[in-house]
Amino acid sequence: MKKKVIEKSKSNFKVQDINDLPSTLFVTDAKGNILISNDFTALTIGISLDELLKMNVQDLVKAGYYKRSITMEAIETKQRVSRAVDTNRGFHIKSTATPIFQKDGELRLVVTTSNEYNGKFPIATEPTNIQNINGKSKTDIQDTRAEISFVAESLAMKQIVKVCNQIASYDSKVLIYGESGTGKEVVARYIHQKSDRSQGPFVTINCAAIPPTLFEQELFGYEKAAFLGADVKKKGIIELANDGVLFLDEIAEMPLEMQAKLLRVIDNNEVRRVGGVQNVPINCRIIAATNRDLWKMVKKGMFREDLYYRINVIPIHIPPLRNRKLDIVGLISYFLAEFNEKYQDKVVLSADEFQRILKSDWPGNARELRNYVERLVVIEQQSIQQSAEDAVTDWFAIDHFIKRNLDKQCTLKDFTSIVEGRYIKHVLDAYSGNATEAAKRLGVDRSVIYRKLKKMDNALGK
């Protein structure tokens, strides 16, 4: 019978199978201060993620969350440590703490991960002392020297930024986990931008978008006459990423046969084009991303275990947007500014709309939120444009009114008051009667709206 985990109602977690939960994760500095973690790690010891990110691993031991820290053991011994850890919540977790050193031999970070909850813990093949490696279309090559916009208002995202800054100067491989739309590519581009390879290319390949029969040609390239239709030789994307970063998006979708070939590339730092007889040296940093549980795929034989350990040197888990309300606030502001500039508008959110956005779960995460904000701006603009058209139509009604009332000697001041008042009413209608939002759209104070509406009524003799 599978063990069930029930979190208290104050948490975002629900009853679920422990085998379906993500792996625990700590990234700490050389003193044991926790820089990055995830929701499941917090669940295993019974505190919130925000609390966890404020602590040192020694604090967890002192507080009785578990008896001893393998992270501190790795810091003290400067060696990789693997051992089972029992938490106060009843979790029995097989974990590994891996120290990461600077070029001068000083300890920089410790990455503590776990993938198994029962049975023998698999031994990773990545060396302890990680050295530099020397040597949306389906494919995207871009110059990313422009500043990357990174919204990080929540503590969790600020810690991710902090870790990205620390690991950027290394060539260690990074595996970014997160639901679709959480911003995995943004994180990858940020690491590239902050690294010594920032002047080199950032090459993106969507592994889910390439037919299996074309994968090898796309990845490795081909020589002239390698197959029918190969009129010229072509470099593969791995070659194109030389001196830069190769971003393997949705790596879980890579066919097993190609996984084996990629593994050889990683081990040997060279590729051979289809139809070629010579190996081509390559020198690029590999960052991979997935929205799936790779370790579960490994256990099912759907992903190579040896490749998993090669790419999963520094794991970064991006929490879903529904767990990062502060980031929602920051993203709303950023997207509104972006689309107001694009559509030359000045749309602002009402309090009700803002609360509606905050209460949503956003299953599509930041991508869905971005699309939603764009729709708001576009629809709002269309509504205002329609109101302007209606106001123009009302010109004829106003003109008719003036002609009928010439004997009443309608002044220019009255005429101006009527035109202004009519337009204000249409803008108010577009904002569902919200005078504050209408005033912002019109660029006037709220009191001006009421004053001008009253002038219109007086001009019309109401």
Side-chain angles (χ1 to χ4, degrees):
M1 182 174 173
K2 293 182 178 179
K3 183 176 179 180
K4 298 286 184 178
V5 182
I6 304 178
E7 181 57 46
K8 295 178 181 179
S9 58
K10 66 180 180 180
S11 170
N12 292 320
F13 291 98
K14 300 177 181 179
V15 179
Q16 50 186 312
D17 188 326
I18 190 170
N19 295 320
D20 294 333
L21 291 170
S23 63
T24 52
L25 167 69
F26 281 132
V27 177
T28 71
D29 63 17
K31 296 182 180 179
N33 296 311
I34 300 171
L35 304 175
I36 188 171
S37 189
N38 61 16
D39 291 309
F40 179 55
T41 305
L43 181 147
T44 62
I45 56 180
I47 62 177
S48 70
L49 180 57
D50 282 353
E51 287 180 275
L52 183 62
L53 291 171
K54 297 174 183 176
M55 303 181 81
N56 185 290
V57 290
Q58 296 180 88
D59 298 330
L60 300 176
V61 175
K62 292 175 183 177
Y65 291 115
Y66 46 77
K67 292 183 179 179
R68 56 179 177 165
S69 166
I70 66 168
T71 301
M72 286 308 303
E73 192 172 333
I75 290 173
E76 293 163 1
T77 63
K78 294 189 176 182
Q79 298 292 324
R80 180 174 174 274
V81 180
S82 294
R83 191 177 60 250
V85 176
D86 295 314
T87 77
N88 65 329
R89 303 286 310 282
F91 286 88
H92 182 72
I93 302 168
K94 306 286 183 66
S95 300
T96 295
T98 303
I100 296 178
F101 299 89
Q102 300 183 82
K103 294 178 182 178
D104 60 4
E106 288 297 313
L107 184 64
R108 181 68 177 273
L109 300 170
V110 176
V111 179
T112 303
T113 59
S114 64
N115 297 297
E116 287 278 351
Y117 301 97
N118 295 294
K120 185 179 179 181
F121 187 80
I123 302 300
T125 55
E126 193 69 34
T128 298
N129 193 347
I130 300 172
Q131 303 290 344
N132 287 351
I133 300 174
N134 297 314
K136 299 293 188 166
S137 58
K138 57 188 177 183
T139 305
D140 183 27
I141 306 169
Q142 293 189 16
D143 180 350
T144 56
R145 281 173 284 186
E147 195 71 20
I148 300 297
S149 298
F150 202 127
V151 176
E153 299 292 338
S154 68
L155 179 58
M157 288 305 293
K158 285 179 179 177
Q159 294 288 28
I160 287 177
V161 172
K162 186 175 181 179
V163 169
C164 287
N165 288 334
Q166 290 184 319
I167 67 173
S169 60
Y170 297 88
D171 274 346
S172 305
K173 289 171 282 296
V174 179
L175 180 59
I176 305 173
Y177 291 92
E179 294 179 5
S180 178
T182 49
K184 297 185 288 294
E185 184 171 343
V186 173
V187 172
R189 288 182 182 276
Y190 182 81
I191 294 171
H192 171 250
Q193 178 183 275
K194 296 297 180 181
S195 73
D196 297 336
R197 295 177 177 270
S198 60
Q199 299 302 308
F202 182 94
V203 183
T204 300
I205 181 168
N206 184 344
C207 297
I210 301 177
T213 54
L214 299 179
F215 227 112
E216 189 169 9
Q217 298 172 27
E218 289 288 335
L219 223 58
F220 303 137
Y222 51 81
E223 296 289 349
K224 183 178 180 179
F227 50 85
L228 187 64
D231 299 328
V232 294
K233 72 176 181 180
K234 177 187 174 184
K235 290 184 178 181
I237 61 167
I238 298 179
E239 273 189 81
L240 294 174
N242 257 332
D243 299 321
V245 167
L246 173 63
F247 179 58
L248 299 170
D249 197 13
E250 298 193 55
I251 194 170
E253 309 307 319
M254 181 178 288
L256 281 169
E257 181 183 356
M258 286 308 305
Q259 292 178 27
K261 295 180 178 180
L262 177 62
L263 184 65
R264 287 197 294 272
V265 171
I266 293 174
D267 286 341
N268 301 324
N269 292 328
E270 58 185 18
V271 298
R272 179 178 294 182
R273 300 182 189 129
V274 176
V277 294
Q278 293 183 332
N279 291 333
V280 179
I282 57 106
N283 174 23
C284 65
R285 182 179 192 171
I286 293 178
I287 301 178
T290 181
N291 59 7
R292 301 180 65 182
D293 186 336
L294 280 189
W295 182 246
K296 186 184 293 185
M297 293 181 66
V298 168
K299 291 190 287 185
K300 291 181 178 179
M302 299 168 63
F303 197 88
R304 290 183 64 99
E305 184 174 0
D306 43 10
L307 178 59
Y308 171 80
Y309 285 118
R310 295 296 197 283
I311 63 175
N312 191 31
V313 178
I314 300 179
I316 294 178
H317 176 260
I318 305 177
L321 197 56
R322 59 184 170 274
N323 294 344
R324 299 187 277 125
K325 297 298 184 184
L326 284 177
D327 288 330
I328 292 178
V329 176
L331 287 168
I332 290 172
S333 177
Y334 177 79
F335 293 147
L336 266 179
E338 176 188 351
F339 293 120
N340 273 331
E341 180 179 359
K342 179 178 179 179
Y343 297 111
Q344 297 182 345
D345 213 329
K346 295 181 180 179
V347 173
V348 293
L349 292 183
S350 67
D352 290 341
E353 184 64 54
F354 185 74
Q355 288 300 322
R356 187 157 47 246
I357 291 176
L358 285 182
K359 290 177 181 177
S360 174
D361 282 341
W362 300 111
N365 293 292
R367 185 181 294 115
E368 181 185 2
L369 177 60
R370 184 178 188 275
N371 293 340
Y372 183 82
V373 173
E374 182 173 16
R375 282 196 300 274
L376 280 180
V377 174
V378 171
I379 292 172
E380 199 68 63
Q381 187 183 60
Q382 290 174 344
S383 176
I384 296 300
Q385 288 172 346
Q386 185 62 47
S387 295
E389 290 169 3
D390 291 343
V392 171
T393 302
D394 269 2
W395 164 267
F396 298 101
I398 295 169
D399 185 51
H400 181 66
F401 168 82
I402 296 297
K403 290 177 180 177
R404 284 192 300 109
N405 292 275
L406 282 175
D407 59 328
K408 296 182 181 178
Q409 296 182 339
C410 178
T411 66
L412 179 61
K413 185 176 179 181
D414 289 338
F415 177 75
T416 302
S417 297
I418 294 169
V419 172
E420 286 185 332
R422 293 277 190 175
Y423 185 63
I424 289 171
K425 286 190 68 175
H426 281 288
V427 175
L428 276 169
D429 289 342
Y431 283 96
S432 303
N434 189 319
T436 301
E437 301 302 328
K440 289 179 181 178
R441 180 64 181 83
L442 292 167
V444 299
D445 188 77
R446 180 175 172 174
S447 62
V448 174
I449 287 181
Y450 298 119
R451 188 166 65 248
K452 287 188 177 292
L453 287 176
K454 185 176 182 180
K455 284 185 178 180
M456 179 187 70
D457 289 341
N458 290 337
L460 291 172
K462 292 184 179 181

